[in-house]
Amino acid sequence: MAVTIKSEREIELMREAGKILADVHNQLGELIAPGITTLEIDRKGEELIRKAGCIPSFKGYEGYPASICVSVNDEVVHGIPSKKHRLFEGDIVSLDAGVIYKDYQSDAARTYGVGKISPESQKLIDVTKESFFRGIEFARAGNHLHDISVAIQKHVESNGFSVVRDLVGHGIGKDMHEEPQIPNYKPIGRGIRLCAGMTLAIEPMVNAGGYEIWILEDDWTVVTRDGSNSAHYENTILVTDGDPEILSLI
């Protein structure tokens, strides 16, 4: 499938989807505290998404059973919410969510500390978020896709962390996953030339230890192979001739 250039109408719908998703994340972030279960987070997230007139894009996607991916500590992404899994003081938790608004998607992720966390965990969260913003400095028409990848990797590795290699960002629009794939590290080649109207989900996934990962027996939950903590930060962005527009941040 070719990379799609969105029309003004499509961009407006994706802006609205992004605003709704940003509000969902802001409200879920306020719930993060010791004692809450990951299932409670998921149920609240689905309630907020549907109340806003959207469909939770993750629920049922390739069989995923929930609306919010809730990934704790060494879980990189795709953690399945559970009533048995409570958050504890010192944990870090990543929330990844998507919404469909009038057939158009938005995708975003945030990582939070639970109560008082260690300085290293806070640095991991901060560097992951910073690497997203370092990357999108290059997300403008005329640049190459992998300029984003290089900037993310440089910032992460200069701070002593590692970038997950087996999972990448992606184009987004009517489908959650569109072309192009967007690595968070430097692959071979420069990648496609960016054009105004492209919509991309940029999502650094950063490990405190090595970059190797594996998948648990539930066939969804991705964890670090060495048991180190992992953080995730993502937004849906619009490429323009100037600075990119972040659609899922308010």
Side-chain angles (χ1 to χ4, degrees):
M1 183 173 66
V3 178
T4 59
I5 304 299
K6 307 304 189 296
S7 68
E8 279 303 318
R9 175 186 169 276
E10 290 176 308
I11 290 167
E12 278 303 318
L13 293 173
M14 292 187 70
R15 280 195 184 105
E16 187 59 29
K19 288 177 185 175
I20 291 166
L21 182 54
D23 184 58
V24 169
H25 267 298
N26 289 344
Q27 293 190 63
L28 291 181
E30 294 175 0
L31 298 179
I32 302 302
I36 194 170
T37 69
T38 57
L39 183 61
E40 287 174 301
I41 296 168
D42 173 63
R43 285 181 171 169
K44 182 62 175 179
E46 181 169 351
E47 175 191 318
L48 292 169
I49 290 168
R50 293 194 185 280
K51 187 176 179 180
C54 293
I55 298 168
S57 51
F58 292 2
K59 191 163 190 178
Y61 182 80
E62 294 187 357
Y64 185 74
S67 297
I68 313 294
C69 295
V70 187
S71 306
V72 184
N73 294 332
D74 66 330
E75 296 174 350
V76 181
V77 288
H78 306 159
I80 297 176
S82 168
K83 64 181 179 182
K84 297 179 180 179
H85 196 163
R86 292 190 181 275
L87 299 184
F88 292 97
E89 186 94 12
D91 286 343
I92 66 171
V93 57
S94 299
L95 308 182
D96 189 3
V99 304
I100 304 171
Y101 174 76
K102 296 185 179 179
D103 295 330
Y104 283 85
Q105 308 241 5
S106 188
D107 189 3
R110 309 281 186 263
T111 302
Y112 301 96
V114 182
K116 184 176 176 59
I117 64 174
S118 69
E120 182 188 37
S121 290
Q122 188 61 57
K123 182 181 178 184
L124 176 65
I125 292 171
D126 293 343
V127 167
T128 303
K129 181 176 179 178
E130 290 162 7
S131 71
F132 166 85
F133 286 98
R134 294 294 181 94
I136 68 166
E137 289 177 11
F138 297 90
R140 58 174 62 212
N143 287 346
H144 286 268
L145 182 70
H146 295 164
D147 296 338
I148 300 171
S149 310
V150 170
I152 290 171
Q153 182 179 18
K154 280 184 177 179
H155 187 67
V156 169
E157 293 181 351
S158 70
N159 281 280
F161 300 127
S162 63
V163 173
V164 171
R165 308 296 178 91
D166 295 329
L167 301 164
V168 297
H170 50 91
I172 185 170
K174 273 198 165 184
D175 295 315
M176 188 195 311
H177 294 114
E178 298 184 352
E179 291 296 330
Q181 292 194 348
I182 309 165
N184 296 302
Y185 61 92
K186 175 66 172 78
I188 295 171
R190 300 187 66 189
I192 62 169
R193 192 176 292 277
L194 299 174
C195 300
M198 290 180 177
T199 46
L200 310 173
I202 310 292
E203 52 176 323
M205 289 154 277
V206 178
N207 296 347
Y211 63 76
E212 296 88 355
I213 60 173
W214 59 5
I215 300 175
L216 298 185
E217 290 182 358
D218 62 19
D219 289 330
W220 277 107
T221 308
V222 177
V223 298
T224 59
R225 188 172 285 273
D226 60 12
S228 63
N229 279 354
S230 186
H232 185 198
Y233 188 82
E234 174 185 20
N235 281 302
T236 299
I237 70 161
L238 169 68
V239 176
T240 75
D241 290 318
D243 292 335
E245 181 181 345
I246 304 175
L247 302 179
S248 54
L249 195 62
I250 54 175

